[in-house]
Amino acid sequence: MRFYRSEPQAGLGRRRPGFIDDPGFPSFLNGLTDGAALVELDGRIRLVNAPMERLLRATRADLLGADLARHLRGTGRLAADLSEGLIRLRRTETTGTLPSGRAVSAQLSILRQDDDPYAALLTLRELGAHPVASPARGQFRLARDSGRRRRPLSPARRGRRWPSGSRAPWRRG
């Protein structure tokens, strides 16, 4: 299975943003917790981060410049869906099991400059590895919040007056 068109269009100089070739870009990729790889449109891996190395059980030297299909051999539908997404230049989301035995969800996003595709970003997330915890209602706080409950502003403090003869609801007596 190949991850690229059978006849690449020669002579088309693909414009890409300058940050792709910046020496700091690989360190940005390494900051991601999911496996990430920058894949050329012909299916070759250009950049890869440490979580992707771990998921594919391959070293960076083995991955860089290699055909992505080689590292996804034996994954069935996962490889087929990603291949089709790269060929058709469209965003693809799929799940499958890697040769390492890890179940992953995969996202392939086509990167474009002035509406011309120049590469793809492949991200792999191990299923069950990053649980998304949603706080119970009313438990969300910013880091600087002390956790102390604050009273809602009274109508008088909001610029309104209490109706005549009534008291603030939290006052007794």
Side-chain angles (χ1 to χ4, degrees), residues 19 22 31 47 79 87 111:
F19 70 85
D22 188 281
L47 296 171
I87 289 170
L111 305 176

Side-chain angles (χ1 to χ4, degrees), residues 107-151:
Q107 292 182 337
L108 182 76
S109 300
I110 304 301
L111 305 176
R112 299 176 187 273
Q113 172 91 13
D114 299 328
D115 209 30
D116 290 328
Y118 62 87
L121 179 67
L122 172 65
T123 57
L124 297 179
R125 173 177 283 185
E126 191 169 4
L127 294 176
H130 301 287
V132 178
S134 60
R137 185 178 173 96
Q139 290 184 345
F140 176 78
R141 285 185 213 125
L142 296 175
R144 67 174 191 231
D145 193 357
S146 65
R148 183 177 64 121
R149 289 282 209 180
R150 295 180 187 212
R151 264 190 261 172

Side-chain angles (χ1 to χ4, degrees), residues 38-128:
L38 184 70
V39 181
E40 298 285 351
L41 294 178
D42 64 0
R44 287 178 295 118
I45 300 171
R46 179 172 170 95
L47 296 171
V48 67
N49 70 352
M52 182 68 85
E53 292 178 61
R54 183 181 44 81
L55 285 170
L56 295 177
R57 290 190 179 165
T59 65
R60 188 172 307 248
D62 290 338
L63 292 170
L64 293 180
D67 192 10
L68 180 61
R70 185 180 113 208
H71 293 285
L72 294 179
R73 197 169 288 140
T75 61
R77 183 181 170 137
L78 178 69
D81 288 348
L82 293 175
S83 173
E84 183 179 338
L86 195 56
I87 289 170
R88 295 179 188 258
L89 298 175
R90 66 177 182 161
R91 179 174 164 75
T92 303
E93 295 183 14
T94 187
T95 59
T97 304
L98 296 173
S100 63
R102 297 173 186 224
V104 295
S105 69
Q107 292 182 337
L108 182 76
S109 300
I110 304 301
L111 305 176
R112 299 176 187 273
Q113 172 91 13
D114 299 328
D115 209 30
D116 290 328
Y118 62 87
L121 179 67
L122 172 65
T123 57
L124 297 179
R125 173 177 283 185
E126 191 169 4
L127 294 176

Side-chain angles (χ1 to χ4, degrees), residues 1-51:
M1 179 174 303
R2 293 165 63 176
F3 274 79
Y4 50 90
R5 300 173 202 258
S6 58
E7 195 173 282
Q9 298 172 348
L12 284 182
R14 300 204 187 274
R15 293 182 354 167
R16 68 172 80 234
F19 70 85
I20 296 291
D21 299 317
D22 188 281
F25 188 65
S27 64
F28 167 75
L29 281 182
N30 278 328
L32 300 174
T33 57
D34 296 335
L38 184 70
V39 181
E40 298 285 351
L41 294 178
D42 64 0
R44 287 178 295 118
I45 300 171
R46 179 172 170 95
L47 296 171
V48 67
N49 70 352

